[in-house]
Amino acid sequence: MNSILLIVFLPLLAAIVAGLGNRMLGNEVAKSLTTGALFISCALSWPIFLGFVAGDAAAEVVPVANWVQSGSLTFDWALRVDALTAVMLVVITTVSAVVHLYSWGYMEEDPDQPRFFAYLSLFTFAMLMLVTADNLVQMFFGWEGVGLASYLLIGFWFKKPSANAAAIKAFVVNRVGDLGFMLGIFGTYLVFQTTSIPEILAAAPGMSGATIGFLGYRMHTMDLLCVLLFIGAMGKSAQLGLHTWLPDAMEGPTPVSALIHAATMVTAGVFMVCRLSPMFEAAPVALGMVVFVGAATCFFAATIGTTQWDIKRVIAYSTCSQLGYMFFAAGVGAYGAAMFHLFTHAFFKALLFLGAGSVIHAMHHEQDMRFYGGLRKQIPFTFWAMMAGTLAITGVGVYWLQAGFAGFHSKDAIIEVAFARGTEMGTFAFWLGTISALLTSFYSWRLMFLTFWGKPRWIESEHIQHSVHKTPQQAGEDMTGGYHPHESPASMLVPLGVLALGAILAGWIFSHAFLDSEAFWGGSIYYNEALQHAMHGVPLPVKLAASIVMLIGLAGAWWAYIKDTSLPGKFVAQFTLVHRFVFNKWYFDELYHLIFVRPAFWIGRLFWQRGDIGLIDRFGPDGAAWVVGRGAVAAKKVQSGYLYSYALIMLTGLVAAITWVLF
C-alpha cells in the first residue's frame, strides 16, 4: 500500500518541476514528465482497485506527517485507502492520464504548454488529496486545491475576457458553497471534538435526535451539520442554485472540460456525501434535501441541454444532469449506486468531451452544431468513439440479457432504486429521473444527428471559411475549394479508444461489485442491503422504464433532425415563450445578475468613489500631499539666502526653546 504515496505525490512533483522549469525545460520535456507521472499513478491505482474487487485487499491508513496539535484539536496528514478511495483513484488517474496524452495533440500549437500541463497535474494532485483524506481538514485542503486549480485552468487563456470572467465566476460561486462546507466542518468538530472521519462516522448514529443551537434556534444536530456540508457539495458539484459556473467553465481548453466534468472537481461533492454517508443516514431532513435538489437538478439541466447549439455546452449541462442522478441515488440511501454511476460516468463523459474536442479540432475551432453535419465520413474514428459514448449515456442495453453499455447498468439502477425506496421523495426522484432519461436520450442523439448526419453545413460557416490558412496543404482544402474536415492526430485518438472501452465494458464488468457486494465496500460507505434487494424486486415496467423512454427520445430526435428538419423551427414558433425560457437557462444568470451582481457593483463603486477616493485618499495620501505641498510653498518664502536671515531664525528658535523650558 506504500504505492499510494507515489500515486498521490508523483503528480505534485511533476507539476512543480514543469511549472518552475516552464520554457527552460521546453514543451517536450514538460509534457513527457507530467504525462509519464500520471500514467505511473494510473498503473499503480488499478491493482489497488482490482484487489478490493477481488476481495484480496483491506482498508489501510498510510501516515505522511504530523500536522496540527493545538489543545483538543489534533490531526495528522495521512492517506486513507479503502474501497471508496480505490474507486476514486482509478477514476481520477485514468481520466487524468488520458487527458494529459490527449492534450499533446489538442494543445500542440499553444505557446504555454508547460504551464498548462503543470496546472493539469496540480489539479490531479489536489483531487487525490481530497479522496485520500483521513480527516475533514485534509479533505478541505484538497477541496480548495481543486478550486484553485480549476480557476487557473478555466482562465488558462487569460487574454480572453470571457475566460477570465468564467474563471472568476467559478471561483466566486464555489466560495458560496465552501462557506457552508466550512461551517459544516466547524460544527462537526464542535459536536464530535475531532476531525477524524472514522471517529466521526462511528459516533454519528448515536447523535440521532440530538439538538444544537444555531442562529437563535434549536435544530436537530445531524440535520444541521449535513445540510451545511451538502451546501458545499452543491457548489462543487454544480447542483441547482449553485450550478451557474459549470457551463461557463467551457471557456477553458477542451481537455480541461473533460477533466473537471468527468473525473475530478464536480464529483467531489458526490464523493463527500458517500464518504460521510453514516452521518447523512442519521439526518433524514438533510437526505430529503439531497433527493430533492438532485432530482430537480437532473431535470432542470436536461431541459436546457435540449436547446443549446454549442456542442460543449450540451455536454456540460449533461454533466450537471448526471450529477443530479448521483445525488438523488445517495439521498435515497443507495450510495453504491451513486458511486457506480460516478464510476461509469467518468468514462463516457470524458469520452464525449474529448470526442467533442476532436470535432472542434476538425472544424477549426467551430463549436456551433448548426455548422456541422455529415462528419461521420470525414472523421470516422471520432464518430464511432462518440457513438459509444452516446450509447453509454443514453443507457442502451437489453434487460433480458443484462447486457448493455455503461449507463444501462448504472443509470437504470438509480431509477429502479429510487422507486424501490417507496417514499414520497423516492417516487418524486423516480419520475423526474425517468423524464430526464427521455430528455437525455433526445439531446444526446440530437447532438449526434446534427454533428454526424445530414448535409455538410460547414460551407455556410464564415468563421471556418475565413479563418483557415490560405493554402490547401495547410488548410486541408479539397480541390473544389472550401474547408475539408480532418481526423485528429493519434495522440488524441488513442485516449478516445481507451475511454470507449470503458464506456462499453465498465458497467457490465463491475456492476456486481458496486451494487450487490457489501464485502466490496467493506464499510467504507453505508450499505443498505434491504434496499438493494428491493431494487431487484421492482415491477418489470419500472425495470424497462429507462429503456422505453430512451427509445422515445431517440425516435423524437431522429424525426426532428433527420426525417423532418423543419419540425424544431415549428416547435419554437408554436412555443416561443417556453423555448426562450429554457434556451436562456431558466434565466438563473439574469436573476443572479439582478439580485447579486448589480448590487455588489453598486456597493463597490460606492466604497470606491465615496470611501476610497472621497474619504481615505482625500484626507490620507492626497491630504498629506496637499499639506506638504502648501508647507513647502510657505517654507520657500523664508529661504532668502542671506546669512543674517538664518541667524535671526536660529536665534528666535533658541529664545523660544529657552522660554518653553523655563516657563
Side-chain angles (χ1 to χ4, degrees):
M1 278 295 185
N2 287 332
S3 60
I4 189 65
L5 295 173
L6 288 175
I7 294 171
V8 172
F9 290 107
L10 272 178
L12 174 64
L13 180 62
I16 293 173
V17 174
L20 296 180
N22 207 293
R23 297 183 184 180
M24 181 179 67
L25 292 176
N27 293 341
E28 298 304 317
V29 174
K31 293 190 295 186
S32 300
L33 182 66
T34 53
T35 306
L38 258 299
F39 271 93
I40 293 173
S41 292
C42 178
L44 294 173
S45 296
W46 275 96
I48 295 175
F49 170 69
L50 295 176
F52 280 100
V53 172
D56 298 331
E60 185 178 346
V61 177
V62 179
V64 177
N66 295 329
W67 197 355
V68 170
Q69 291 182 346
S70 176
S72 62
L73 178 60
T74 302
F75 51 85
D76 296 329
W77 196 355
L79 306 179
R80 169 166 290 276
V81 183
D82 55 18
L84 184 61
T85 304
V87 172
M88 296 303 297
L89 289 179
V90 295
V91 166
I92 295 166
T93 57
T94 302
V95 174
S96 185
V98 297
V99 166
H100 274 72
L101 179 59
Y102 180 93
S103 300
W104 280 58
Y106 193 87
M107 302 295 290
E108 184 178 8
E109 298 179 1
D110 196 281
D112 285 333
Q113 293 179 56
R115 179 167 65 91
F116 179 77
F117 280 84
Y119 287 169
L120 286 183
S121 294
L122 177 64
F123 194 113
T124 307
F125 163 73
M127 193 65 197
L128 290 170
M129 284 301 304
L130 192 159
V131 301
T132 56
D134 190 47
N135 59 75
L136 292 177
V137 180
Q138 186 177 326
M139 181 182 286
F140 187 73
F141 171 80
W143 192 274
E144 293 304 300
V146 292
L148 168 65
S150 67
Y151 171 81
L152 297 173
L153 286 167
I154 294 169
F156 177 76
W157 287 323
F158 55 85
K159 294 182 180 180
K160 290 173 55 180
S162 57
N164 286 326
I168 292 172
K169 187 175 184 179
F171 199 80
V172 171
V173 173
N174 272 278
R175 297 291 70 71
V176 177
D178 290 351
L179 175 61
F181 191 47
M182 284 189 290
L183 291 175
I185 293 174
F186 296 156
T188 301
Y189 173 71
L190 179 66
V191 171
F192 295 98
Q193 291 298 299
T194 181
T195 62
S196 170
I197 292 175
E199 293 179 18
I200 292 169
L201 300 185
M207 294 299 298
S208 181
T211 61
I212 190 174
F214 183 71
L215 300 177
Y217 297 94
R218 297 299 299 179
M219 300 182 180
H220 286 284
T221 302
M222 297 310 298
D223 281 321
L224 174 63
L225 297 180
C226 290
V227 166
L228 291 172
L229 293 169
F230 179 62
I231 290 173
M234 288 175 62
K236 198 65 70 181
S237 295
Q239 292 301 282
L240 185 63
L242 296 177
H243 68 280
T244 53
W245 68 270
L246 190 61
D248 289 1
M250 298 301 98
E251 290 294 336
T254 298
V256 173
S257 305
L259 194 58
I260 291 177
H261 285 243
T264 51
M265 183 170 171
V266 296
T267 60
V270 179
F271 167 81
M272 185 267 288
V273 171
C274 292
R275 170 63 83 197
L276 303 180
S277 51
M279 284 184 68
F280 280 85
E281 284 298 310
V285 174
L287 277 181
M289 179 179 174
V290 174
V291 175
F292 178 82
V293 171
T297 304
C298 183
F299 172 75
F300 153 80
T303 62
I304 299 175
T306 62
T307 63
Q308 302 300 301
W309 294 112
D310 187 314
I311 187 172
K312 287 175 66 177
R313 283 187 176 268
V314 173
I315 303 173
Y317 278 107
S318 169
T319 298
C320 199
S321 180
Q322 298 303 308
L323 288 165
Y325 277 108
M326 300 175 206
F327 274 112
F328 80 68
V332 299
Y335 302 98
M339 289 303 301
F340 187 31
H341 196 50
L342 184 155
F343 179 78
T344 61
H345 175 263
F347 291 102
F348 62 71
K349 186 53 58 69
L351 175 61
L352 289 172
F353 264 116
L354 297 185
S358 183
V359 172
I360 294 167
H361 182 271
M363 299 305 294
H364 203 74
H365 303 292
E366 176 64 75
Q367 296 182 197
D368 193 327
M369 295 186 295
R370 287 172 289 190
F371 299 110
Y372 289 171
L375 289 176
R376 70 185 188 279
K377 296 179 181 179
Q378 311 292 333
I379 46 175
F381 192 94
T382 300
F383 162 69
W384 285 111
M386 290 200 70
M387 176 63 76
T390 301
L391 294 171
I393 192 174
T394 55
V396 173
V398 180
Y399 167 73
W400 289 275
L401 299 178
Q402 283 300 295
F405 292 81
F408 169 77
H409 295 278
S410 59
K411 186 174 68 176
D412 290 22
I414 290 175
I415 293 175
E416 292 171 20
V417 80
F419 182 89
R421 184 65 178 177
T423 61
E424 292 182 2
M425 291 305 298
T427 304
F428 170 78
F430 165 76
W431 284 110
L432 279 191
T434 303
I435 296 170
S436 300
L438 188 154
L439 297 174
T440 299
S441 177
F442 178 82
Y443 68 64
S444 297
W445 289 110
R446 171 179 178 265
L447 183 152
M448 291 296 291
F449 293 146
L450 283 172
T451 302
F452 296 106
W453 272 272
K455 67 175 184 178
R457 298 182 297 278
W458 62 79
I459 57 174
E460 303 169 13
S461 173
E462 294 183 3
H463 169 74
I464 293 178
Q465 299 304 327
H466 294 301
S467 62
V468 296
H469 302 291
K470 298 303 181 183
T471 65
Q473 291 79 11
Q474 292 174 315
E477 296 177 274
D478 55 29
M479 295 302 293
T480 62
Y483 185 70
H484 182 73
H486 54 88
E487 190 63 275
S488 300
S491 61
M492 296 173 65
L493 297 182
V494 170
L496 294 183
V498 172
L499 293 170
L501 289 176
I504 296 169
L505 300 174
W508 175 66
I509 293 175
F510 297 109
S511 61
H512 174 73
F514 278 89
L515 298 178
D516 300 319
S517 177
E518 185 175 4
F520 166 70
W521 292 111
S524 60
I525 61 172
Y526 178 85
Y527 186 86
N528 191 331
E529 187 174 0
L531 181 61
Q532 294 302 128
H533 286 305
M535 179 187 76
H536 295 300
V538 297
L540 183 61
V542 174
K543 293 181 178 293
L544 298 178
S547 296
I548 292 171
V549 297
M550 179 274 296
L551 293 173
I552 295 173
L554 168 60
W558 176 81
W559 193 276
Y561 294 97
I562 299 294
K563 176 70 173 177
D564 183 5
T565 55
S566 66
L567 192 59
K570 294 177 182 177
F571 179 88
V572 172
Q574 183 70 29
F575 301 99
T576 304
L577 293 179
V578 174
H579 177 267
R580 186 181 303 161
F581 178 73
V582 176
F583 181 76
N584 287 287
K585 302 161 288 187
W586 292 31
Y587 289 101
F588 267 96
D589 284 298
E590 291 77 4
L591 180 64
Y592 286 177
H593 184 78
L594 179 65
I595 295 176
F596 300 114
V597 178
R598 288 180 60 183
F601 273 96
W602 180 84
I603 294 172
R605 283 191 295 267
L606 176 67
F607 280 110
W608 171 42
Q609 295 287 352
R610 300 291 178 85
D612 195 13
I613 296 176
L615 185 63
I616 297 174
D617 286 352
R618 180 180 179 186
F619 295 103
D622 292 345
W626 181 86
V627 171
V628 171
R630 291 295 181 180
V633 171
K636 185 173 66 175
K637 293 180 179 180
V638 300
Q639 301 295 323
S640 64
Y642 294 106
L643 181 60
Y644 60 79
S645 296
Y646 298 121
L648 177 62
I649 293 172
M650 292 172 62
L651 182 60
T652 303
L654 182 60
V655 171
I658 294 172
T659 303
W660 181 80
V661 170
L662 293 176
F663 296 100

